[in-house]
Amino acid sequence: MSKSELDFSIVLAASMHDMKNSLCMLLQSLETLKEQIEPNEEAESEFTKLHYEIARVNSSLLQMLALYREHCNSLPLHIEEHYIDDLIEDLISKNEFYIQGKGLTVELEIEENLNWYLDCDLVTNLLNDILINALKYTKQRILIKGYRSDNQLTIEIHDDGPGYPVHMIEKSTQEMDSALLSQGKTGLGIYFAHLIAAAHENEGISGKIYLSNDSQYQGSLFTLTLP
Amino acid sequence: MQPLNALQIYKGFSFLIVDDFAEFRYSLKQMVESFGAGHVDLAVSAESAIASYGEHFHDFLLVDYNLGDGLTGLQLLEELTLKGLLKHGTVFVLLTGETTLDQVMGALEYRPDDYLAKPFTRNVLKQRLDKLVTLNTQLKPVYQALNNGKPNTAVDCCDKLVAQNPRLAMTCMRLKATIFLKNNEYRKAAQIYQSICQAREMNWALLGLARCYNGFGDATKAVELCERIISKTANAIDAYDLVSECYINLGMFEKAFTATKLAIEQSPNSIPRQRRLAKLCLRYNEYDAAYNACKKLQALGNYSSLVQVEDCVLWLICASYLMYAKPSSRTISITREISQIYRQIEKYDAIQANLAIELHKAYHQYRLKPEEFEQNQFEKVINNVVSLPDPLKPYLVDLLVLLESLLDDNPIKISLSKATEAAKSQLYTQDNQNRAIDYNKSGQLKYSKKEYKAAFDAFKVAFQNAPDNPNIALNLLQTSYKLLGSKNFVLPLELFSLCKQTLNQLAPSDHRYEQSKNLLLHIETKLMSNLK
C-alpha cells in the first residue's frame, strides 16, 4: 500500500476500537480480581492506581480523537436535553472505584430538576478529565455544583488541593488557540475543555471555561458555563 | 415501605447480549447475572439475535455496535423495527466506542434507548440499567397501550405522566409526536415539534417537523428543514433520505440523485437507500452504478427480509442494459451472473416476475443465435403478458420498454410495441410532477372543505401524474374511503390496484405504513361487500 492510500482516520478509528475493547476487558478483570482477593490496604492502593491509569489512558484517547476530528472540521455536536444530576451521577460512578479507594468525599450541590441542552458525551468527557485531575490533587474533598445563572448553565468543580499553578490560570484567561498547545503552554485537557465549551453556541453566546484558585475548599476551582 | 432488594429488581427481566467478541459476551453475561437477571441469552451476530428475540422477546437487549460481518448493532435495531418485531417497552442499549458514536448519534430515526461508551465498569452499567428500569416502569402504561394498538390511550397516558412527573416532559412529547405522525395527524405532530424547536432546535425534532411538512404536501419546506439539519450535522443520514424523497416528490430527480449519493457515502448498508440509488442511476443512464447498487441491495438482503421481487427484476433490467445496450468489459461476468438473478426472482414465485424471466430468456436466445430465432416462441411469451388479467407491474413494463428499444426492425418489435403501449397507457405518465403537486394541493383544500368528490378528482389527476408518490396514493384512497358507499361513486379497481402497489413499497417502520395497511384493508372489505 502506498503512503497516499493510507487513510489516517480509519487507522485511528480501528486502533481506538481495539484499545477501547482492551481497556474494557482490563477494567472488568480488575473488578473481578478485586472481588476475589482478601481485602488489604496495599492491594487496594494498587487497584486504585491501576484504575486511575486506565481512566487517564481512556481520557487521552478520547481527547486525541476529538482533537483529530476538530482538526479535520468534523466534530459534530449532538445537542439534546439532559438533566444535570443524571450527568454528574454518571461521572461519579465512572470514578467510584478511585474515589472509594482513596477515601475521598465528593459532595454535590445540583439545583433540583436542572436540565440543559448540551452534547452529553463531549461535556461528560470534558468534566471527567477535569474531575480525574481534581481527584489526583485533592486532599480530601471535592464539591460539584450545578446551577442556572443569567440564562446559562454553570458547573463548578471545587477541590481542597494545592490549586492551579499561576501560569495555568494566566494562560486560561488568554485567547486559547492551538498555538498555545503546540508551544506546550497549556495542557491538552484544558485545551480540549475550551474547545468543547466554545463549540456549544446559542443565540450568539459561546460556552466558556474558567480556572481559578477561588475554591470553596481553598484549592482549585474549574468552572464551565454553557449558553 | 421496604425498598426492593437490588437482586429482586432484575429477577423478572430477561436479557439478550449480542457481541461477536466472545470474551466480552461472557463478561457482560457475568455482569447482568450479578445484578440478578432471571434469564440471559447470548447471540454472536445480528441474525442470530433476530431469531432469539423473535422467540423470547427479551426485556433488555445489550448490543455491541460492531458485530463483525453482516449487520451492525444499529442496523439490528433498524431490522427489528422494520420487521415490526420490536415491542414497545423493550430496552435496546447499544455499546459503542467513540469512533462509532457519530453513526449512532447521526441516526435520528432508529435511536437506541441508551448507549454506553466503552470502557465501562459494572457499576456504570448497573446505574444506567437502573435508570432505564425506572423510566420503563413509569412509561409502562404508554407502551402497553401502543402494544395493544390503542394510540389515543397512549397519548392520554403521556399527558397524565407529565402532570405527575415534569421530568418526563420531553420523553412524552416525543412519544406523542411520533404517535401523531404515525397516524398521519400531521398538524398535531407539527405543533409538538415546533414547540420543542422553539426551546432548542434538536435534530430529531426538526426531522419530525420536516416529515410533517412532507405529509402536508409542502416538500419544499421539508427540504429546507432537512438542509438545516445537514448543515449542523453532516452525517444525519435520515435527513438525506428525506431530502431525496422530497425531491422525487417534487420531480427534481437530479437533486434527489445528489442527495441519495451523499447518503450512500455516509451509510451504504440500507436496502431502501440502495433501491433508490439504483432507480435514479438508471434514470441518468449510469448503468454500471445501477447494477452495483442492485448487487449491493441483494447482498444486504442476505441479512434482511426487506428485498422485494421488484428489486430482483430491477437487477435483471440493469444487467440487461450492461449485456445488450452498453456492452463493456463487465458484460461477460454479468452474463455469467444472469442465472443467479433468475434464481433470485424465481424465489418469489410471482407470475409477472416469472414472465419477466421468460421474456428475458427469449430475448437472450435471439441475441445469441438470431439465425435460429423462433419468433413464435417469443410471440407466445408476449401474448401471455398481454393476456394477464391484472394490470402490469411497473417493473414488467420497464423490461418491455427496454427490450423493445433493443430490438432491431424485427416483426417481433411490433408485437412488443403494442404490449408496451397498452401497458404504458394503463400506468400513467410520470412526466408532470408540477401538475401532481398542484392537483394534490387542490385536493387537500377540497378535502378540508369536505368536498370529497372534487377532492377525489383532484387527487386522481395528481396520482396519474405521480404514481410513485405514497402521500398522493394515501390521499386518494382516504378520499375514496369517504366516498365508498355514496351514490354514483365507483372506485376503479385498476386505480385501487395501482395505489396498492405504491403503498406496498412502504417499509413497516414508515410512519405511513400502519395507516396505509388499515386503509387498504378497509377499502378491500368495502369493495368485497359491494361485490356481494
Side-chain angles (χ1 to χ4, degrees):
Chain A
M1 184 188 283
S2 72
K3 234 180 175 179
S4 59
E5 283 172 18
L6 188 72
D7 182 343
F8 188 67
S9 65
I10 293 173
V11 176
L12 189 65
S15 311
M16 283 273 295
H17 178 69
D18 279 353
M19 286 189 272
K20 287 272 193 172
N21 268 341
S22 296
L23 285 179
C24 213
M25 292 310 299
L26 209 56
L27 260 183
Q28 282 153 27
S29 298
L30 201 61
E31 285 190 344
T32 313
L33 266 181
K34 195 171 176 246
E35 277 172 9
Q36 285 171 355
I37 61 158
E38 287 294 316
N40 72 74
E41 208 172 297
E42 201 183 340
E44 285 285 338
S45 163
E46 290 305 315
F47 277 131
T48 308
K49 271 188 215 164
L50 271 171
H51 201 275
Y52 176 78
E53 292 306 329
I54 292 172
R56 290 247 312 150
V57 172
N58 186 45
S59 187
S60 298
L61 278 174
L62 290 178
Q63 287 173 4
M64 183 170 73
L65 185 72
L67 292 171
Y68 174 72
R69 285 195 173 156
E70 202 270 335
H71 173 73
C72 302
N73 294 321
S74 65
L75 185 65
L77 238 58
H78 302 288
I79 303 289
E80 299 275 344
E81 185 206 42
H82 293 281
Y83 280 87
I84 305 305
D85 51 5
D86 283 343
L87 191 150
I88 302 294
E89 271 173 31
D90 250 16
L91 203 61
I92 304 293
S93 85
K94 272 184 183 172
N95 295 286
E96 206 172 11
F97 206 102
Y98 188 77
I99 295 168
Q100 282 177 358
K102 278 192 74 177
L104 302 173
T105 313
V106 180
E107 293 159 74
L108 303 182
E109 279 181 26
I110 314 285
E111 258 179 33
E112 204 182 343
N113 287 333
L114 176 62
N115 57 342
W116 211 256
Y117 296 95
L118 46 87
D119 184 317
C120 185
D121 294 294
L122 289 177
V123 171
T124 305
N125 292 343
L126 176 169
L127 292 174
N128 195 43
D129 192 60
I130 303 298
L131 182 65
I132 290 171
N133 200 51
L135 290 172
K136 185 179 180 185
Y137 290 105
T138 198
K139 286 180 208 144
Q140 188 58 46
R141 302 168 75 188
I142 283 179
L143 168 66
I144 303 178
K145 291 170 89 168
Y147 55 92
R148 199 186 301 252
S149 160
D150 293 334
N151 220 15
Q152 295 212 51
L153 168 74
T154 301
I155 296 178
E156 297 176 351
I157 300 182
H158 301 247
D159 68 44
D160 62 359
Y164 288 116
V166 177
H167 76 270
M168 265 183 89
I169 296 173
E170 281 172 358
K171 295 297 174 198
S172 76
T173 56
Q174 289 179 7
E175 194 63 30
M176 190 134 352
D177 60 27
S178 53
L180 277 178
L181 185 68
S182 56
Q183 291 159 18
K185 290 179 180 170
T186 185
L188 191 63
I190 297 299
Y191 179 72
F192 175 77
H194 161 78
L195 194 80
I196 300 307
H200 282 77
E201 271 187 330
N202 187 29
E203 294 175 355
I205 302 168
S206 304
K208 286 192 169 55
I209 60 160
Y210 304 92
L211 307 185
S212 78
N213 287 333
D214 302 330
S215 157
Q216 277 182 225
Y217 298 153
Q218 279 79 48
S220 60
L221 166 61
F222 173 86
T223 308
L224 166 72
T225 63
L226 294 179
Chain B
M1 197 172 70
Q2 284 287 312
L4 262 181
N5 179 317
L7 287 174
Q8 283 175 345
I9 298 174
Y10 289 92
K11 202 177 171 187
F13 291 133
S14 55
F15 283 75
L16 176 60
I17 293 165
V18 193
D19 200 318
D20 64 326
F21 185 24
E23 278 191 65
F24 201 70
R25 213 162 48 231
Y26 291 110
S27 169
L28 266 176
K29 184 173 188 266
Q30 277 181 348
M31 282 193 196
V32 295
E33 280 175 346
S34 75
F35 305 156
H39 178 97
V40 186
D41 283 322
L42 302 176
V44 291
S45 65
E47 297 75 59
S48 51
I50 292 168
S52 182
Y53 180 77
E55 200 176 326
H56 299 289
F57 294 102
H58 306 83
D59 302 297
F60 286 85
L61 270 76
L62 305 184
V63 183
D64 194 89
Y65 182 88
N66 289 295
L67 296 175
D69 298 333
L71 302 179
T72 64
L74 195 59
Q75 285 168 333
L76 168 63
L77 172 62
E78 185 176 342
E79 188 69 18
L80 285 173
T81 319
L82 287 172
K83 280 175 179 267
L85 264 182
L86 196 66
K87 288 196 171 184
H88 295 281
T90 295
V91 179
F92 194 106
V93 181
L94 203 61
L95 311 170
T96 74
E98 268 64 18
T99 47
T100 47
L101 201 58
D102 269 358
Q103 281 98 308
V104 181
M105 300 306 288
L108 303 173
E109 189 81 37
Y110 305 104
R111 289 287 283 274
D113 296 284
D114 205 351
Y115 55 92
L116 206 52
K118 289 180 187 173
F120 52 83
T121 62
R122 187 165 48 201
N123 278 350
V124 169
L125 178 66
K126 174 78 167 45
Q127 194 180 323
R128 285 292 183 94
L129 292 180
D130 285 352
K131 279 184 182 164
L132 288 164
V133 168
T134 309
L135 182 66
N136 246 31
T137 311
Q138 289 168 325
L139 294 173
K140 204 172 174 181
V142 182
Y143 293 141
Q144 267 176 350
L146 288 173
N147 283 330
N148 292 333
K150 293 180 176 168
N152 293 337
T153 313
V155 168
D156 291 342
C157 291
C158 283
D159 291 336
K160 280 180 199 153
L161 283 173
V162 176
Q164 288 162 8
N165 183 357
R167 277 179 88 123
L168 292 174
M170 187 63 84
T171 309
C172 287
M173 283 216 285
R174 190 172 183 169
L175 272 168
K176 273 173 64 177
T178 312
I179 295 167
F180 288 138
L181 194 60
K182 280 203 163 179
N183 285 343
N184 287 9
E185 294 182 73
Y186 295 120
R187 292 195 192 279
K188 285 183 183 172
Q191 257 177 1
I192 298 177
Y193 288 128
Q194 258 159 351
S195 72
I196 293 169
C197 288
Q198 270 165 10
R200 190 68 73 96
E201 269 191 1
M202 281 178 286
N203 284 347
W204 58 265
L206 275 177
L207 186 77
L209 194 56
R211 287 202 196 288
C212 294
Y213 275 106
N214 190 33
F216 296 150
D218 191 347
T220 311
K221 179 73 181 169
V223 168
E224 193 187 303
L225 290 170
C226 287
E227 280 172 351
R228 204 141 86 212
I229 300 170
I230 293 165
S231 71
K232 289 193 292 177
T233 311
N235 61 346
I237 193 77
D238 305 298
Y240 286 102
D241 283 339
L242 186 56
V243 164
S244 309
E245 186 189 328
C246 291
Y247 278 134
I248 290 172
N249 288 348
L250 289 165
M252 297 160 83
F253 296 103
E254 203 159 339
K255 289 194 169 183
F257 197 18
T258 308
T260 304
K261 282 197 267 192
L262 284 170
I264 289 279
E265 270 176 33
Q266 302 270 349
S267 174
N269 295 334
S270 153
I271 288 174
R273 202 170 296 134
Q274 290 290 354
R275 180 184 293 141
R276 199 168 58 241
L277 180 70
K279 285 182 180 174
L280 287 163
C281 285
L282 263 189
R283 178 175 270 273
Y284 288 97
N285 303 336
E286 293 190 14
Y287 305 120
D288 267 307
Y291 186 82
N292 292 343
C294 287
K295 248 188 124 169
K296 175 80 185 167
L297 194 157
Q298 295 292 331
L300 291 170
N302 291 334
Y303 306 104
S304 164
S305 56
L306 299 171
V307 175
Q308 298 171 350
V309 64
E310 286 84 351
D311 299 318
C312 303
V313 181
L314 185 66
W315 192 17
L316 180 68
I317 290 171
C318 294
S320 307
Y321 271 106
L322 290 173
M323 283 164 74
Y324 313 123
K326 298 278 171 196
S328 69
S329 54
R330 285 185 84 184
T331 304
I332 296 172
S333 66
I334 289 168
T335 309
R336 281 193 202 120
E337 284 172 357
I338 209 77
S339 50
Q340 187 194 344
I341 304 178
Y342 289 162
R343 278 199 300 277
Q344 285 295 103
I345 297 174
E346 281 162 354
K347 274 186 194 170
Y348 294 88
D349 198 21
I351 295 169
Q352 297 205 15
N354 288 339
L355 277 175
I357 296 179
E358 281 187 45
L359 271 173
H360 190 270
K361 279 183 178 170
Y363 179 77
H364 192 61
Q365 279 301 319
Y366 162 68
R367 288 292 289 227
L368 281 180
K369 293 177 183 167
E371 66 283 0
E372 293 173 22
F373 174 60
E374 288 179 36
Q375 191 177 325
N376 289 347
Q377 200 187 328
F378 209 156
E379 290 268 14
K380 208 173 138 190
V381 183
I382 295 171
N383 280 338
N384 286 344
V385 171
V386 175
S387 55
L388 279 170
D390 296 325
L392 296 194
K393 307 268 184 196
Y395 62 73
L396 191 54
V397 179
D398 287 343
L399 186 68
L400 286 171
V401 171
L402 168 65
L403 296 183
E404 185 201 343
S405 71
L406 290 171
L407 278 166
D408 310 320
D409 284 335
N410 184 300
I412 203 77
K413 190 180 175 90
I414 300 163
S415 314
L416 206 51
S417 300
K418 277 183 194 161
T420 330
E421 280 313 308
K424 275 203 288 191
S425 68
Q426 276 190 350
L427 264 185
Y428 309 108
T429 170
Q430 289 191 38
D431 292 341
N432 202 339
Q433 296 289 334
N434 287 336
R435 222 165 119 83
I437 294 163
D438 288 346
Y439 275 91
N440 188 39
K441 277 188 180 163
S442 152
Q444 284 174 324
L445 192 68
K446 301 282 181 200
Y447 189 92
S448 66
K449 291 179 183 169
K450 298 189 176 172
E451 296 170 23
Y452 298 124
K453 183 68 182 72
F456 174 83
D457 292 338
F459 287 136
K460 189 176 159 190
V461 179
F463 185 67
Q464 284 167 340
N465 284 280
D468 278 345
N469 188 320
N471 289 336
I472 297 176
L474 264 179
N475 288 341
L476 182 58
L477 288 188
Q478 184 70 48
T479 318
S480 305
Y481 184 66
K482 289 269 180 197
L483 287 165
L484 276 171
S486 59
K487 269 185 189 175
N488 302 328
F489 177 77
V490 180
L491 173 63
L493 285 180
E494 298 77 23
L495 189 62
F496 175 65
S497 172
L498 284 167
C499 287
K500 197 174 166 182
Q501 271 179 30
T502 305
L503 294 176
N504 281 343
Q505 298 276 330
L506 293 176
S509 64
D510 193 292
H511 67 274
R512 298 161 293 196
Y513 180 81
E514 277 173 38
Q515 200 214 359
S516 76
K517 287 285 161 213
N518 286 336
L519 205 49
L520 288 169
L521 185 69
H522 283 115
I523 292 177
E524 268 169 356
T525 314
K526 275 205 174 184
L527 289 174
M528 290 296 283
S529 65
N530 286 353
L531 282 176
K532 284 173 191 169

